[in-house]
Amino acid sequence: MSDKRPADSIDERFVYAGKRRKYVSFPLGGIGSGSVSLTGAGRLVDWSIRNRPAIHQFNGYSHFAIKAERDGKLLDARVLNGPYEGDPTGSPSTRKFDGYGFGANRDSLAGVPHFDDVTFVGRFPVAELEFRRDAFPGKVRMTAFSPFIPHNDRDSSMPAALFAFDIENDTGGPIDYTIGATLGNYGCDSGVHAFSTSGTLSALHFAPADLSRPAAERGDLTITTDGDGVEHVDYHFRGQWFDSLGRYWREFARPGPLRERSYAEPRAAQNMFRQPEHGTLARRLRLAPGETRRVRFAITWNYPAGSIYWFNRDQPGDPEYAGEAPTWRNYYATRWADSLASGAEAFARWDALERETCAFRDSLFGSSLPLDIIDAVAGTLAILRTATVIRLEGGELWAWEGQHIREGSCEGSCTHVWNYQQALSNLFPTLERTLRETEFRFNQLPTGGLTFRQRLPLGSGFDIIGPCADGHFGAILKAYREWKNAGDGAWLKRYWPNIRRALDYAWSPDNPDRWDPEGAGVLWGRQHHTLDMELFGPNSWLTTMYLAALKAGSRMALAVGEEAFANQCTKLADKGRAWVDANLFNGRYYAQKLDLSDRAEIERFDQGRKAGVLRESFMEAYWSDEYGEIKYQIGEGCLTDQILGQWHADIAGLGDLLDGGNVAVALKSVFEENFRPSLRDHFNPCRVYAYENEAGLLICTWPDGAAKPAVPAPYAEEVWTGLEYMLASHLILRGMVEEGLTVVRAARARHDGSQRNPYNDIECGSYYARALSSYALVNAYIGLSFDQGLGEIGFRPVRPGEATYFWSAGRGWGEIEFRGSRATLSIKGGELEISSVSLPAMPGRATVDGKPAARQGDRIELGARRVLKAGDSLVMGVEPLGAP
């Protein structure tokens, strides 16, 4: 019996209805192109398409609407929205007389007739909505998606949101339906709107009337549709008060064609509520009884230049740049001349883009992976198509940590946050490699240290704080991961000098933080990290990042012919391992070794500068006269991140950094001490991301008998989904499957739509990048290993038996199906170049496609390198060794 879920079998957790629909907001757009979100009720919100976030912001009253007529009489007219999800008292607004205290948000069209109920099915990257009202003469369903195709970063960066409406006439007579798309000319109170046709396509293009705007404020949008029966209203009525929406609806909600309207001159006066100009593109079609027709719309945008409004600021919390800020140019603007061009391509390739996007969806959601893992991965992949991510002109990725409502949160592809992200290296590895390339080219100081925030424009200087230990060593071990995944020796040679300088920096006399001046394989000095302060003295958290980098460095050094340096790195890693196990492991977990009462431990690092993100002097920040202690340390605490480097090493196939038994005990202790089935009695003075009866994993605890610092590390009492997914995947990798799934289950229960958006994991802002650690759950569960240089892919699922799993590696993606004594490896997209397949769970004499094959241990040899393309498959069979 097959364990693969049928494509049409949708688990109820992905069906958002009733209370679970309230907070759903599903991003649509390309990677690095900005996005607009679709709420659970069908509203278009969060218009983050003009190169900065715009969360909770509307684009005027942009929406879809439908009307039904028969024999010249209007049967019904409604906007394609469900019940209002917001606060009836009002929502935050930048406009006076139009926010909290002024009623339901008018741009949500809560005051316009709409449908009584909506069911939202969210299976990223596709959303499906069914609108219901018993009195409406017909059935209406929406499918919304943007291209998201593994290993196809070009199409997956398209600045487009695609909508298909299936309209069914379930009455006994013919009905004329008109379905319209209304769009605001985002940010333009005076626009130039132009209707055009080309072949079967019709488009309404929106551009600003004011051509003197700065480059960062210029751009255009387009609504495109195909087919006959097209109607257009180039402009809505120019008025004040509520005239524009009022006249539009009165003209829409009446029988007959829409009234065309056009203006030859720019608008004379701004709308008093700062509304943009609007236009509508519609299709009118007659449906016989029982007939169903599909109507398609594409909303596309093109805002080529973005303002670097944070330029040259010292810290993420500082004000925006006061002068005329420099700009960056979007990658998508180099591929599509304007929004008309991207709309035309979307329709020209719609079927292929939808087919390939849905193929990814169906492989992921139809797999035998636990639903909690599918939910975590699908929910967080949405981050990649939000304003958290920017794609620069040359195709390079640049990113925020997350998003404030109207600006990015914490700039610079922050390495100590993006360290956790695992999705790109598997699904879009060419994009992941750009992060390595730009950090080695533009973040590396003359001393070899890697700053952890990248400035724009690229090459315009270095962040003032300097290197952070976790981000610095993460760059090295991820460079190893990227080289291993691509098998590109030329790439490694190109960046090896940078990688080696970064390794040398650990013990360099030019390192002011004195990480490992004696070459002990242990970090001793001042170590900046992702908790936004510094640790002092040895700790397993940051030292395991160092040890992982040393092991990765050793392997890369051998590959480029530097055997002596490879041996040096190996010896350092061995020394560090022995010291950490002997001195930091307390029998249950690894702790920090530091005398908190010894002021001298930190005085030697006082260089007269401010302390990290704080405004205080170094000693004021780190020493408490009142308690006689060093502040912001872990001490005897049980830190969730305590063996973070081992997680990275396990992912990269680097083996044990520390004693394997100790690692298992430490992971078990983290689960037992830091996971809370209920937070009802938990005290948290920090940011509250989980609370009351919700379950969650704490960043750090001090078990009974452990002394808690008077002023511990910041955020210690918080719950971060990025750490939950990281720990869960590590538990699964080390055989503690149920414990790992318990942690994932808790995180996803908090994001079920009734309390939080399933597509927005928050931390320091919305759509927070650390949550992309979730993808590690896939590879941990299926036991994926891959080495392009060796041409080997392997699978070792944690659960035996018949199953089908989604995978992505190298330059391709597909499925692996286990049935009895056979395993079928199929390629769904891209290509896979391999010479062997490792299947430890299937011992015995091997065959490939029915022919005998050699076997070396777990590896089934293919005889030669084979390049498998989409549609190809390999069938591997085994016979027990004792069989005749």
Side-chain angles (χ1 to χ4, degrees), residues 25 244 309 316 325 345 421 505 573 610 783 786 824 846 878:
S25 190
S244 180
Y309 52 85
E345 181 174 331
Q421 180 272 131
Y505 182 76
K610 302 295 183 183
F786 183 75
T824 303
V878 296

Side-chain angles (χ1 to χ4, degrees), residues 496-529:
W496 172 249
N498 302 84
I499 296 167
R500 169 151 185 180
R501 286 173 55 220
L503 283 161
D504 287 335
Y505 182 76
W507 51 82
S508 169
D510 295 325
N511 181 342
D513 295 325
R514 293 173 243 179
W515 284 344
D516 186 16
E518 303 301 324
V522 177
L523 298 184
W524 296 82
R526 176 176 58 187
Q527 304 148 59
H528 194 77
H529 54 76

